[in-house]
Amino acid sequence: MQIKIPFTKSKVQTINRPPGLDYDHIPKHVAIIMDGNGRWAKNRGMPRIAGHKEGMGVVKKIVRHASDLGVQALTLYAFSTENWKRPKNEVEFLMKLPVDFLGTYLPELIERNVQVQTIGDVSLLPPHTRNAIEEAIERTSENDGLILNFALNYGSRYEMVNAVKEIAAKVETGEISASEVTEEMFSSHLYTSDLLEPDLLIRTSGEQRLSNFLLWQLAYSEFWFTEVYWPDFDEALFEKALYDYQNRKRRYGGI
Ligand code: FPP
């Protein structure tokens, strides 16, 4: 199906929306654990970083497609608080990826009305990574299309402990009492305070665990796993995940 939708605030683009999906029930927020880059590379006798480079290309394809399909927010687990334990050259490469990605792709993101955001402690990233991210956030801040949210130096337990510390400090000063602490208040102290909770979590590479990703926010999300390694993930698989999501019944603990 070909339809015309606003591309930027001033232009209109024609995009292809494949049949089969219910465009009134596209998940608003999709989170992805992009796993399997290393194994993809190893299977080809290549260094692990070659898998990450290939994975970056897939990020571009999926961002375009998510935006075309009407997803409102896409959160990508790009670097966890545990990933610092990897070999130095791999960490350095991973820290350069946002620079390369945004260096070549930022004009298209601006044109596509995408807003770049991050979750995680970006203050600990090297200056070149931080600068690229900050520039992208700044230059897309007026956009109101897809939120492209990179989880960088992100760890869910760290995030929650921080939230507890902030709330405890308010109790200590008497600003609030302990009995006033609510789930909503806790959520508002997380990095994701301005985002809806993910409707759908995708993890590639056959692993079926959360790896310290959005533990609180994924409480009622639908999970979708594939054996495919991230560098081989594509638009058709993304659509399949959305299609399967649309055929599930979300009950939120009810019947
Ligand atoms: C996990 O695969 C993947 C990562 C830790 C990095 C993911 C990063 C990208 C896909 C590129 C991100 C692009 C931008 C623009 C930031 P793994 O290395 O753990 O794979 P393995 O389990 O096979 O070893």
Side-chain angles (χ1 to χ4, degrees), residues 56-70:
M56 184 176 84
V58 178
V59 171
K60 290 184 186 173
K61 288 197 285 193
I62 298 306
V63 169
R64 285 187 191 118
H65 206 47
S67 163
D68 281 356
L69 297 180

Side-chain angles (χ1 to χ4, degrees), residues 167 178-187 216:
I167 294 170
S179 61
E180 285 176 294
V181 178
T182 61
E183 291 185 10
E184 289 69 29
M185 184 188 297
F186 186 77
S187 293
W216 172 274

Side-chain angles (χ1 to χ4, degrees), residues 16-198:
N16 276 316
R17 285 194 165 174
L21 283 173
D22 174 354
Y23 289 94
D24 292 328
H25 295 102
I26 294 293
K28 290 187 174 66
H29 184 177
V30 180
I32 308 185
I33 302 178
M34 310 178 289
D35 197 9
N37 294 349
R39 280 165 285 168
W40 181 91
K42 190 169 173 234
N43 286 350
R44 286 164 179 72
M46 293 154 93
R48 292 177 53 81
I49 57 173
H52 297 315
K53 188 158 184 250
E54 194 72 16
M56 184 176 84
V58 178
V59 171
K60 290 184 186 173
K61 288 197 285 193
I62 298 306
V63 169
R64 285 187 191 118
H65 206 47
S67 163
D68 281 356
L69 297 180
V71 172
Q72 292 176 17
L74 183 67
T75 295
L76 302 177
Y77 205 8
F79 193 88
S80 75
T81 45
E82 289 73 36
N83 286 154
W84 297 107
K85 290 184 253 171
R86 295 188 174 207
K88 190 162 169 273
N89 77 314
E90 187 173 341
V91 170
E92 280 173 6
F93 191 84
L94 286 168
M95 287 298 141
K96 235 170 66 53
L97 280 182
V99 182
D100 292 350
F101 176 82
L102 295 165
T104 58
Y105 194 45
L106 183 56
E108 184 179 330
L109 293 176
I110 294 169
E111 183 78 351
R112 279 184 175 269
N113 198 20
V114 170
Q115 320 169 51
V116 176
Q117 297 183 6
T118 58
I119 53 173
D121 188 353
V122 288
S123 72
L124 296 177
L125 302 179
H128 59 281
T129 317
R130 232 175 34 230
N131 291 342
I133 295 281
E134 278 166 8
E135 185 192 340
I137 292 173
E138 164 68 29
R139 292 185 58 196
T140 61
S141 62
E142 300 288 305
N143 289 350
D144 58 8
L146 174 76
I147 294 170
L148 172 56
N149 185 31
F150 287 110
L152 282 164
N153 192 26
Y154 175 83
S156 190
R157 289 183 174 183
Y158 177 87
E159 175 187 38
M160 287 197 278
V161 168
N162 258 350
V164 170
K165 283 182 187 164
E166 287 176 12
I167 294 170
K170 286 185 183 170
V171 173
E172 225 167 41
T173 60
E175 194 183 320
I176 55 166
S177 68
S179 61
E180 285 176 294
V181 178
T182 61
E183 291 185 10
E184 289 69 29
M185 184 188 297
F186 186 77
S187 293
S188 75
H189 283 269
L190 300 176
Y191 295 123
T192 47
S193 56
D194 291 333
L195 287 172
L196 293 171
E197 288 176 358

